Structure formats: C-alpha cells, structure tokens
Amino acid sequence: MREANSSSVVVVDFWGNGFGMRVRIALEEKGIKYEYREEDLTNPQRSQLVLDMNPVRKSVPILIHQGQPVCDSAAILGYIDETWKDGFPSLLPRDPYDRAIARFWTHFLDNKVFSTQAMFLKSKSDRAKEESKNELIGELKQLEAVLGDEQYFGGANFGYLDVVLIPFSSMFYGYESHGNFKLEEECPKLSAWVKRCLARDSVRKVLPDSVEMYELHKKFYGIE
C-alpha cells in the first residue's frame, strides 16, 4: 500500500468530537500517515491555527493537506477518498445509486440523529426525556433496517457509511445510562455491527472510552 508523507497531512480535532473521529478512521483505513493536533473545545477560545484554517465556521475537524485546509467531516471524507484513490481501498461505493444512498444516510445522521441526541441529553423533564429517547431509538432502528443482515453498511466491506456512523457508537453507553435501556435489546443487529467495527484497528485506535465520552457530554449538557 502506498503511503502519504505524514508532514503533508494534518488533522486538527478534539478527542471527543465524533465528526472528527470519522476523518481519523478514514485515514487509518486508507493507511495514510498523518499528524494529529488536538484542539481543546472545552476552551471557548479557538487556536490561531483553527482561525486561520477555518475562518468561516471556526470549528473542527480540519484536514490540512499540503498546507491547504478542507473543512466539514463529510467533505473531508469525500476528499480523502478521491485524493488517495489508486492503490488505496475505496470508502464510497462504486455504484452511483449506492453512493447517493450513503450520502443520504450521512445527512440523516448529521441533521436528524445528532439533533435528537442533543435533545435527549438536554431534556429536563421526564416526559421530554422519554419522548426524545423513543425518537432516538426509532432513528437507530431505521439505521439498523438499512444495515439488515449485512456485515457492514458497505456490505461485506467496511465502507463510507460505517465510517460515518461508528463514532456515534462511542455515545451508546451514554444513551443507555441516560435513558435506562439496553441498546442490544432494542437494536441487536446494530449492536453486533458495533462489535465487528471495534475489532478493526482503525476504529479501535480512534474511538475514545465510552464512559469518558458520557462524562464529557454530561458536563457539556449540564447533566447531574
């Protein structure tokens, strides 16, 4: 497998940022060496590097390749797949329809599941918490239906949608603890998929400890 010069590839991210985990997993899957620079998102002040590389949104993740920044996790994944193509494993499906479907569910995750997660964790009343919990479980079941009986969302191969979704699993412990339910009972196929993904070096090296992730979110959302 060909390798990129590590000095030419830099990832700016925060350890508990699920969107940034996607970028690092994709690079690990491709076998691309990179330099990781931690941005402390618990500090409201952004570093000069972030301000220079992403002046529009002032957020991470940021992929810096040969001095040029690429921002937004979905855009970065597409860039990685297109830049390191020949001789490297592909993430996006080859079929145009399958590629469109993968992007559709990515949009669903980023714009629906993520907001439902935030609503669930921020809920103060028992009723609101229960309603948002049920909505979140329902969305995870929709994703489980997409997975079906396949090994991965990419079929027999770990692919784009697997990379996009697996960082969310680092909060599954938090979902269960916060909502007092077992995801393995609600979504057994999705739970089995998580275990298969965690057996991969690329995923295991990047995903943080689930308890630490929940503790981080408890502080962020003011959960007692």
Side-chain angles (χ1 to χ4, degrees):
M1 181 180 294
R2 289 164 30 180
E3 291 184 347
N5 187 330
S6 61
S7 63
S8 71
V9 183
V10 177
V11 176
V12 186
D13 196 19
F14 173 62
W15 71 267
N17 179 21
F19 296 102
M21 294 174 204
R22 297 170 171 177
V23 175
R24 287 176 278 150
I25 291 171
L27 291 171
E28 294 287 349
E29 281 289 322
K30 292 272 190 177
I32 306 299
K33 292 184 178 180
Y34 61 94
E35 177 187 346
Y36 175 73
R37 297 189 188 177
E38 176 79 4
E39 179 75 11
D40 183 8
L41 294 188
T42 63
N43 184 341
Q45 299 297 319
R46 297 284 75 86
S47 68
Q48 192 60 49
L49 178 63
V50 169
L51 296 177
D52 290 342
M53 294 291 106
N54 190 2
V56 176
R57 298 184 65 183
K58 303 178 180 63
S59 63
V60 295
I62 304 170
L63 177 76
I64 306 173
H65 182 213
Q66 296 179 344
Q68 297 297 315
V70 184
C71 306
D72 182 83
S73 65
I76 295 172
L77 291 184
Y79 180 85
I80 290 171
D81 215 26
E82 293 174 9
T83 300
W84 292 283
K85 189 173 183 180
D86 296 335
F88 295 93
S90 178
L91 297 176
L92 276 164
R94 292 184 178 181
D95 182 81
Y97 177 78
D98 291 339
R99 291 166 78 96
I101 293 300
R103 289 181 170 127
F104 170 85
W105 287 109
T106 298
H107 189 272
F108 174 79
L109 279 161
D110 292 355
N111 294 277
K112 191 69 178 76
V113 179
F114 184 72
S115 62
T116 303
Q117 169 187 288
M119 183 170 57
F120 170 54
L121 295 174
K122 289 190 295 185
S123 297
K124 299 302 180 183
S125 71
D126 290 341
R127 179 178 178 180
K129 182 177 177 181
E130 188 68 14
E131 288 178 350
S132 56
K133 180 189 80 172
N134 291 334
E135 184 175 347
L136 181 60
I137 291 173
E139 291 167 1
L140 294 175
K141 286 184 176 181
Q142 285 181 285
L143 290 163
E144 183 176 61
V146 176
L147 174 65
D149 295 321
E150 298 287 351
Q151 288 287 101
Y152 300 105
F153 284 91
N157 299 314
F158 183 86
Y160 184 87
L161 195 51
D162 300 288
V163 173
V164 167
L165 176 57
I166 193 58
F168 275 82
S169 73
S170 63
M171 272 302 295
F172 285 180
Y173 167 82
Y175 295 170
E176 293 177 327
S177 300
H178 193 62
N180 193 28
F181 70 96
K182 292 294 183 182
L183 194 62
E184 194 165 10
E185 296 175 1
E186 299 287 350
C187 300
K189 292 181 180 179
L190 194 64
S191 297
W193 166 82
V194 171
K195 292 177 182 178
R196 286 192 292 273
C197 291
L198 287 173
R200 304 182 71 85
D201 287 341
S202 62
V203 176
R204 191 168 55 249
K205 288 168 65 175
V206 171
L207 258 59
D209 179 80
S210 295
V211 176
E212 291 181 1
M213 273 291 282
Y214 185 42
E215 291 301 318
L216 173 71
H217 282 70
K218 283 169 67 176
K219 292 178 182 178
F220 185 77
Y221 289 113
I223 301 171
E224 296 180 357

